[in-house]
């Protein structure tokens, strides 16, 4: 009698040299076959449960290497290697990501092997969910450990394709990493199978036909090449699957006002119509530890919880400012921390970013400088730095933009209020991964939402040379956040810049940016304050744009597991 083990705690070839099978419960193949629907629910829920730990690391791998965030200082936590690009082969967070990923693959594979399709629509739905989860995980693994798809996918390595444990455990020999192309093919095959099997309109806490279509829309966009050298076959497929999601009629863009509260909705909230799939977290399982050490707890201190040590980057803030003073709805997810006195009043200030140089005059990075605002007799403004008076010149008074000549260079900054500093950095809290149901840092990490689908269409149409349709889809997102902010013209000259900027604004803090730059063959530049080596750029050709496979997993693997260079 074959035993099936919930959560795959037993399938430990990825965590240990020992291949013990420790039963989490007493489910056997006979028991599953006797009551398939109930048993499959239990086992499938084990896969969903694994996503909760998986999604934390998924977020850090996808967001921290990007240019949306900064950290107040260096850290001994292994997540700092994602920010600093100082990759290390023994990264405990990457081990968790690898292990949780393959536990989901293994569990879903067991379900697929045991349960035959076609017996009922309910069973087929569950099988489809298992296929979706397996395909999604292969894609996420490949984008973390494999090079961007435009770069020789036939020869560059993705991850091992291991769809369940072989029957011969005693002589276990697992395959080496498949190519990026083969890994993507596995993901696509699974997602298409899931799309065909799933027929129930489940809420966004569960996989659905549309969730599979949304993931295929993204995968084909990742395969669509660069703006300069697009692959039209995959461009068309990304458009096709994006339109399938939209034409389902199941999802709508939230209104501007509701979108500004997007982070407060659970994925199955009746008022929330934009999320396609998210990893649902609930308060009862979200511990005090999670509120401090989870995703949101690093971005802000809310209701007395969280470290609040990572902030919106100077680059991201400048993108928000392009629409004018707080005109962009996405300011709703940024919470500047101001200094207040005993009567809760703020002090007007001028703040700017200046070049940080060593004693030899070589630029090392950037830093913030803020000082209280003072007024000349003629009504103009000045600030005092080290007992020296610096007059400010109006750039755009309506937008609170002024310039200052400091240390021989003119800088543009903003008239605002004195902000709290962490070390030397103004604390621009990020709340997009917090405040679900108004509960501190409770958050259900987003996998797919309709906003991304419209951005996928904008990019795909631009790569197709159809700038009219690209503009239509781009402006759907832009005008939702910026009233009257739609572009009047999109051309071959400006399309890539405008679409990429809007995608960065819209999908910030949702674990996209660290991949979006590289999949289009671009260079990551982070010219803003922080300890992240801001003068070092990372082109898509850099070896550091992909993660090392954890050395512990290579050591434990029953077979060859080739490391990234």
């Amino acid at each position: 009698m074959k035993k099936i083990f919930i959560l795959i705690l037993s399938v430990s070839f990825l965590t240990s040299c020992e291949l013990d099978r420790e039963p989490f419960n007493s489910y056997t193949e006979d028991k599953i076959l006797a009551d398939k629907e109930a048993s499959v629910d239990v086992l499938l829920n084990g896969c969903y449960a694994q996503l909760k730990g998986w999604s934390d690391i998924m977020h850090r791998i996808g967001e921290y290497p990007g240019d949306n965030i900064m950290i107040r200082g260096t850290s001994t936590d292994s997540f700092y290697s994602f920010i600093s690009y100082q990759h290390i082969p023994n990264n405990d967070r990457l081990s968790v990501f690898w292990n949780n990923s393959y536990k989901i693959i293994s569990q879903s594979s067991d379900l697929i092997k045991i349960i035959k399709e076609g017996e009922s629509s309910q069973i087929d739905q569950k099988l489809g969910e298992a296929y979706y989860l397996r395909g999604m995980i292969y894609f996420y693994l490949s984008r973390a450990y494999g090079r961007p798809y435009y770069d020789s996918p036939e020869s560059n390595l993705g991850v091992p394709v291991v769809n369940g444990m072989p029957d011969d455990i005693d002589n276990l020999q697992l395959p080496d990493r498949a190519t990026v192309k083969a890994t993507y093919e596995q993901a696509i095959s699974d997602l298409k199978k899931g799309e065909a099997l799933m027929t129930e309109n489940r809420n966004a806490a569960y996989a659905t036909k549309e969730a599979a279509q949304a993931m295929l829309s993204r995968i084909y966009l990742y395969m669509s090449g660069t703006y300069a050298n697009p692959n039209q076959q995959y461009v068309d497929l990304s458009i096709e699957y994006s339109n399938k999601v939209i034409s389902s009629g199941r999802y709508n863009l939230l209104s501007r006002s509701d979108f500004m509260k997007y982070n407060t909705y659970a994925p199955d909230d009746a008022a929330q119509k934009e999320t396609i799939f998210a990893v649902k977290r609930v308060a009862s399982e979200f511990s005090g530890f999670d509120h401090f050490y989870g995703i949101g707890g690093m971005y802000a201190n809310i209701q007395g919880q969280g470290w609040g040590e990572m902030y919106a980057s100077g680059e991201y803030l400048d993108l928000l400012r392009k629409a004018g003073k707080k005109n962009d709805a996405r300011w709703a997810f940024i919470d500047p921390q101001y200094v207040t006195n005993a009567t809760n009043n703020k002090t007007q200030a001028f703040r700017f970013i200046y070049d940080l140089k060593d004693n030899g005059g070589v630029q090392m990075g950037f830093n913030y400088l803020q000082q209280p605002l003072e007024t000349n007799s003629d009504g103009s403004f000045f600030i005092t730095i080290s007992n020296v008076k610096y007059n400010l010149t109006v750039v755009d008074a309506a937008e609170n933009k002024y310039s200052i000549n400091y240390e021989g260079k003119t800088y543009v900054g903003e008239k605002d209020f004195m902000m709290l500093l962490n070390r030397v950095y103004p604390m621009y809290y990020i709340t997009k991964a917090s405040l679900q149901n108004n509960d501190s840092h409770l958050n259900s990490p987003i996998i797919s939402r309709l906003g991304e689908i419209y951005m996928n269409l904008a990019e795909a149409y631009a790569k197709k040379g159809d700038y009219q349709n690209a503009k239509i889809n781009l402006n759907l997102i832009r005008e939702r956040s910026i009233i009257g902010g739609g572009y009047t013209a999109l051309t071959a000259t400006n399309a890539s810049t405008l679409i990429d900027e809007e995608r960065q604004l819209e999908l910030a803090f949702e674990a996209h940016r660290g991949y979006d730059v590289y999949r289009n063959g671009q260079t990551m530049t982070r010219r803003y304050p922080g300890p992240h080596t801001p003068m070092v750029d990372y082109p898509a050709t850099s070896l550091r744009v992909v993660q090392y496979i954890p050395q512990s997993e290579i050591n434990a693997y029953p077979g060859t597991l080739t490391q990234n260079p």
Side-chain angles (χ1 to χ4, degrees):
M1 186 181 296
K2 181 180 178 182
K3 285 191 175 182
I4 309 301
F5 303 110
I6 299 173
L7 302 185
I8 315 301
L9 294 177
S10 55
V11 184
S12 56
F13 68 87
L14 298 161
T15 57
S16 168
C17 292
E18 297 298 322
L19 295 170
D20 297 329
R21 289 178 171 260
E22 302 170 6
F24 183 81
N25 210 318
S26 59
Y27 275 78
T28 65
E29 186 169 357
D30 287 347
K31 184 174 180 179
I32 289 172
L33 294 176
D35 189 353
K36 292 179 183 178
E37 189 168 353
S39 301
V40 170
D41 270 340
V42 174
L43 296 172
L44 187 60
N45 284 342
C47 293
Y48 284 112
Q50 285 292 328
L51 287 176
K52 295 171 185 178
W54 170 89
S55 60
D56 181 278
I57 315 300
M58 176 276 290
H59 177 96
R60 298 175 199 266
I61 298 172
E63 197 63 51
Y64 290 4
D67 48 6
N68 294 326
I69 63 111
M70 64 150 290
I71 188 171
R72 66 161 194 167
T74 59
S75 174
T76 57
D77 192 299
S78 54
F79 68 57
Y80 188 67
S81 72
F82 308 145
I83 299 171
S84 65
Y85 283 78
Q86 296 173 348
H87 292 337
I88 53 175
N90 292 309
N91 185 311
D92 58 334
R93 291 186 180 271
L94 284 176
S95 293
V96 171
F97 180 70
W98 180 275
N99 281 303
N100 283 357
S101 294
Y102 274 103
K103 286 173 182 177
I104 296 166
I105 287 172
S106 186
Q107 178 113 343
S108 57
S109 295
D110 278 347
L111 290 177
I112 289 166
K113 285 180 179 180
I114 292 167
I115 306 298
K116 293 181 180 179
E117 65 181 84
E119 296 187 10
S120 73
S121 61
Q122 293 81 9
I123 293 295
D124 281 356
Q125 170 70 29
K126 302 300 175 13
L127 276 174
E129 292 177 45
Y131 274 110
Y132 167 85
L133 292 171
R134 190 171 76 177
M136 179 192 78
I137 294 295
Y138 272 125
F139 168 63
Y140 273 78
L141 281 169
S142 188
R143 74 176 190 169
Y145 297 107
R147 294 202 61 77
Y149 197 87
Y150 81 89
D151 179 14
S152 304
E154 300 87 355
S155 56
N156 285 326
L157 297 180
V159 296
V161 175
V162 183
N163 294 332
M165 292 294 286
D167 292 333
D168 187 2
I169 298 297
D170 293 333
N171 299 296
L172 186 61
Q173 188 74 13
L174 297 177
D176 197 356
R177 297 164 66 188
T179 64
V180 168
K181 183 174 186 290
T183 309
Y184 270 62
E185 287 173 345
Q186 176 67 52
I188 290 169
S189 174
D190 283 343
L191 290 165
K192 285 185 175 179
K193 186 69 172 178
E195 178 194 17
L197 287 169
M198 290 185 283
T199 57
E200 295 181 15
N201 290 339
R202 307 196 78 186
N203 66 53
Y206 298 95
T208 59
K209 178 188 294 290
E210 292 78 19
Q213 293 165 345
M215 192 58 61
L216 286 163
S217 162
R218 187 193 303 175
I219 289 178
Y220 284 126
L221 192 71
Y222 272 58
M223 298 170 72
S224 68
T226 65
Y227 285 101
N229 187 28
N231 183 306
Q232 293 302 324
Q233 175 189 356
Y234 298 134
V235 164
D236 288 341
L237 285 167
S238 183
I239 293 171
E240 175 186 340
Y241 278 95
S242 296
N243 283 327
K244 283 185 176 184
V245 175
I246 294 167
S247 64
S248 74
R250 294 197 61 212
Y251 310 97
N252 295 290
L253 290 178
L254 293 175
S255 68
R256 186 178 193 271
S257 59
D258 284 343
F259 176 65
M260 293 170 73
K261 301 179 290 185
Y262 181 73
N263 56 312
T264 68
Y265 297 124
D268 53 356
D269 194 310
Q272 195 290 108
K273 302 296 184 183
E274 186 164 334
T275 300
I276 300 168
F277 181 58
V279 180
K280 185 180 178 182
R281 305 297 300 266
V282 296
S284 61
E285 65 183 15
F286 205 72
S287 69
F289 179 93
D290 293 317
H291 282 280
F292 274 87
Y293 292 93
I295 296 166
M298 297 307 299
Y299 289 150
N301 180 291
I302 300 174
Q303 300 167 1
Q305 295 182 298
W307 296 114
E309 295 181 354
M310 294 182 184
Y311 313 122
S313 72
E315 177 176 320
Y316 187 74
L317 295 169
D318 282 344
L319 280 179
L320 285 174
R321 293 185 184 107
K322 278 191 172 185
K325 184 174 58 178
K326 301 297 170 71
N327 290 334
D328 195 318
R330 290 160 295 208
W331 273 109
F333 309 120
I334 308 299
D335 185 15
Q337 299 298 292
Y338 292 110
V339 176
T340 57
N341 61 19
T343 57
N344 205 36
N345 290 318
K346 303 172 187 174
T347 301
Q348 283 198 320
F350 178 70
R351 183 169 45 256
F352 66 102
I353 294 173
Y354 68 96
D355 298 342
L356 193 63
K357 299 180 180 180
D358 64 16
N359 293 333
V362 177
Q363 186 169 355
M364 303 167 57
F366 305 86
N367 210 344
Y368 283 97
L369 200 158
Q370 67 172 1
Q371 290 290 355
L373 200 63
E374 302 176 76
T375 306
N376 290 307
S377 58
D378 63 358
S380 62
F381 297 118
F382 72 95
I383 62 173
T384 302
I385 305 172
S386 300
N387 297 319
V388 178
K389 177 181 177 180
Y390 291 85
N391 286 313
L392 305 183
T393 301
V394 176
V395 176
D396 187 338
E399 295 297 334
N400 289 331
K401 292 175 66 175
Y402 293 79
S403 67
I404 184 173
N405 189 282
Y406 178 68
E407 295 185 343
K409 184 174 178 178
T410 299
Y411 299 97
V412 175
E414 66 174 339
K415 179 169 76 72
D416 190 30
F417 300 98
M418 290 294 289
M419 286 185 64
L420 292 170
L421 303 180
N422 193 330
R423 297 187 179 175
V424 296
Y425 304 117
M427 298 162 64
Y428 287 96
Y429 281 173
I430 299 161
T431 61
K432 203 175 189 182
S434 303
L435 290 172
Q436 178 177 309
N437 298 329
N438 197 37
D439 190 353
S440 184
H441 298 296
L442 181 61
N443 168 250
S444 293
I446 303 158
I447 301 299
S448 296
R449 64 180 174 92
L450 191 60
E452 180 204 347
I453 301 303
Y454 284 115
M455 289 309 309
N456 291 353
L457 278 172
E459 181 178 330
Y461 275 123
K463 287 178 175 177
K464 195 176 176 66
D466 183 349
Y467 298 109
Q468 179 61 24
N469 273 316
K471 184 184 72 172
I472 289 170
N473 287 282
L474 173 63
N475 281 346
L476 280 172
I477 297 303
R478 186 162 181 80
E479 291 172 356
R480 192 256 299 268
S481 284
I482 306 167
I483 297 172
Y487 293 114
T488 57
L490 202 68
T491 67
T493 302
N494 67 8
S496 63
T497 297
L498 298 183
I499 290 169
D500 286 355
E501 284 186 356
E502 199 65 29
R503 189 177 180 94
Q504 182 175 2
L505 281 166
E506 180 69 11
L507 301 181
F509 322 119
E510 296 179 32
H512 290 270
R513 185 62 178 170
Y515 302 106
D516 280 344
V517 170
Y518 297 126
R519 65 179 176 79
N520 273 316
Q522 298 166 351
T523 296
M524 185 70 71
T525 58
R526 300 183 293 172
R527 299 285 201 268
Y528 53 81
H532 55 270
T533 58
M535 306 309 295
V536 178
D537 298 337
Y538 296 96
T541 54
S542 170
L543 297 178
R544 297 191 178 190
V545 306
V546 296
Q547 301 296 332
Y548 277 131
I549 293 173
Q551 188 61 43
S552 58
E553 313 313 321
I554 292 176
N555 295 342
Y557 195 74
T560 299
L561 186 56
T562 302
Q563 180 63 282
N564 280 321

